[in-house]
Amino acid sequence: MRIIREPTVYLVGRQSTNNAEIERFLADHRVVAWETDTSVAGEKLCELAGRICYMSFAKPRPGGNAAYLERLLSVGHGSVLEHTAWSFIITGVSRSFTHELVRHRAGFGYSQLSQRYVDESVADFVEPDCIAEDGELHEIWRSAIEHVQEAYVKLVSGLERTFTGVEDQTLRRKLARQAARSVLPNATETKIFVTANARALRHFIELRANEHAETEIRKVASRMCRILQQEAPNIFGDYRFEELPDGTLAARTEYRKV
Ligand SMILES: Cc1cc2nc3c(=O)[nH]c(=O)nc-3n(C[C@H](O)[C@H](O)[C@H](O)COP(=O)(O)OP(=O)(O)OC[C@H]3O[C@@H](n4cnc5c(N)ncnc54)[C@H](O)[C@@H]3O)c2cc1C
């Protein structure tokens, strides 16, 4: 049994632009010259979407893409940020983390490891830091997890006997695993694929990279925020980090919930 203490966040997808079609649109609408100073596709798309609203391609205000997007943030014109999205794979996280994550509905899409199809008899488990750092509590936690894992293995094999009449092997295993998983704890490690647009990601960061959020989701949210600041500084650069007493980070901004 492997015990995990830190989540891993992989940025696996980002937006791209079709510059030829953007040029064709501009030419069709007699925009002689419009260019933006960002090389980030998501930032370019959000600016393009915003400029469509007023057809404000000619004579842009000074400050380039950064100033343009900051103005959108400051006036709360957040719908424009829905035009760009990023995809992440998050691993080394618990089922309690994903239960909280999937409460974020607007602008998010999810695909998560199935406990009906995947054998959890060799699952890893995520231990909260405050338990891991106390020797006595750690032993209580470890022995509870070991006990549960043993029960799961026994239940799967017992249930495979119960469903022995089911000819399809995949279905037989699914029937056994879906019932046996009822004993698995919140600490069971899982993997989730998440796609979200920039507006939804900002809302998620504000709620979850926050001192009121649970520690594990705060760790993930602050990591995603850092990644996104590298990816699209003009959309996420306003967040400032503050270290909390437990060593995790909270993200602050003056442009809350755009
Ligand atoms: C510190 C903390 C503690 C929490 N504790 C609990 C708890 O004890 N119990 C619990 O059940 N949950 C709890 N939650 C979860 C919380 O209630 C939300 O479900 C979660 O944070 C997702 O937020 P959201 O609904 O704003 O996000 P999303 O679902 O992504 O929605 C984003 C925004 O879209 C709008 N929106 C979305 N859906 C609708 C709709 N149907 N109608 C109108 N507007 C909509 C709202 O403006 C919303 O803020 C907690 C969250 C936090 C951060």
Side-chain angles (χ1 to χ4, degrees):
M1 176 182 87
R2 198 163 66 102
I3 296 175
I4 299 176
R5 297 270 304 276
E6 291 299 325
T8 305
V9 178
Y10 304 87
L11 173 70
V12 295
R14 61 170 70 92
Q15 199 91 38
S16 63
T17 53
N18 184 343
N19 290 327
E21 282 293 273
I22 294 173
E23 293 305 323
R24 190 164 75 88
F25 158 77
L26 294 171
D28 284 352
H29 292 80
R30 291 180 294 282
V31 178
V32 179
W34 173 71
E35 56 185 43
T36 181
D37 59 355
T38 180
S39 57
V40 176
E43 293 176 347
K44 181 172 179 175
L45 285 173
C46 291
E47 181 179 346
L48 183 62
R51 290 196 184 282
I52 286 276
C53 299
Y54 306 122
M55 285 304 283
S56 62
F57 293 97
K59 298 187 208 146
R61 289 187 202 186
N65 179 270
Y68 186 82
L69 294 185
E70 191 185 7
R71 174 147 173 78
L72 293 183
L73 293 177
S74 70
V75 297
H77 197 170
S79 62
V80 170
L81 303 181
E82 294 171 17
H83 296 293
T84 185
W86 282 267
S87 295
F88 299 89
I89 296 175
I90 306 172
T91 67
V93 283
S94 68
R95 295 281 295 197
S96 16
F97 160 79
T98 53
H99 189 78
E100 292 188 345
L101 177 66
V102 301
R103 294 297 301 279
H104 293 267
R105 302 157 290 172
F108 273 85
Y110 303 102
S111 299
Q112 182 170 11
L113 177 93
S114 167
Q115 286 188 329
R116 298 176 74 205
Y117 281 91
V118 175
D119 176 22
E120 291 283 39
S121 55
V122 288
D124 298 328
F125 294 90
V126 178
E127 184 176 16
D129 290 339
C130 55
I131 296 178
E133 284 157 10
D134 181 309
E136 199 182 328
L137 297 181
H138 169 71
E139 279 313 310
I140 296 169
W141 183 89
R142 196 179 54 77
S143 102
I145 297 286
E146 281 172 0
H147 184 71
V148 156
Q149 197 174 31
E150 202 185 312
Y152 172 83
V153 172
K154 285 181 184 162
L155 283 168
V156 169
S157 85
L159 286 160
E160 283 199 16
R161 281 198 300 278
T162 304
F163 295 115
T164 195
V166 178
E167 273 189 29
D168 181 332
Q169 191 193 48
T170 308
L171 178 61
R172 192 167 61 244
R173 286 184 177 156
K174 191 172 84 173
L175 290 170
R177 287 170 187 166
Q178 74 185 12
R181 70 172 170 170
S182 59
V183 298
L184 290 172
N186 273 338
T188 311
E189 191 260 355
T190 186
K191 303 171 204 315
I192 192 162
F193 191 114
V194 186
T195 299
N197 69 53
R199 186 186 205 182
L201 285 163
R202 285 186 60 93
H203 182 54
F204 169 73
I205 288 165
E206 284 153 36
L207 288 182
R208 303 299 188 168
N210 183 291
E211 64 268 43
H212 301 297
E214 203 266 344
T215 315
E216 190 181 8
I217 200 166
R218 185 162 64 239
K219 283 183 183 177
V220 174
S222 58
R223 273 172 213 198
M224 286 169 69
C225 183
R226 281 231 191 273
I227 291 169
L228 290 164
Q229 286 190 319
Q230 297 275 318
E231 275 287 305
N234 295 348
I235 299 177
F236 297 97
D238 52 307
Y239 292 109
R240 299 283 168 265
F241 287 101
E242 181 184 317
E243 190 171 327
L244 299 175
D246 67 358
T248 59
L249 298 173
R252 313 251 185 248
T253 179
E254 60 187 289
Y255 306 130
R256 212 172 144 72
K257 200 171 186 202
V258 295

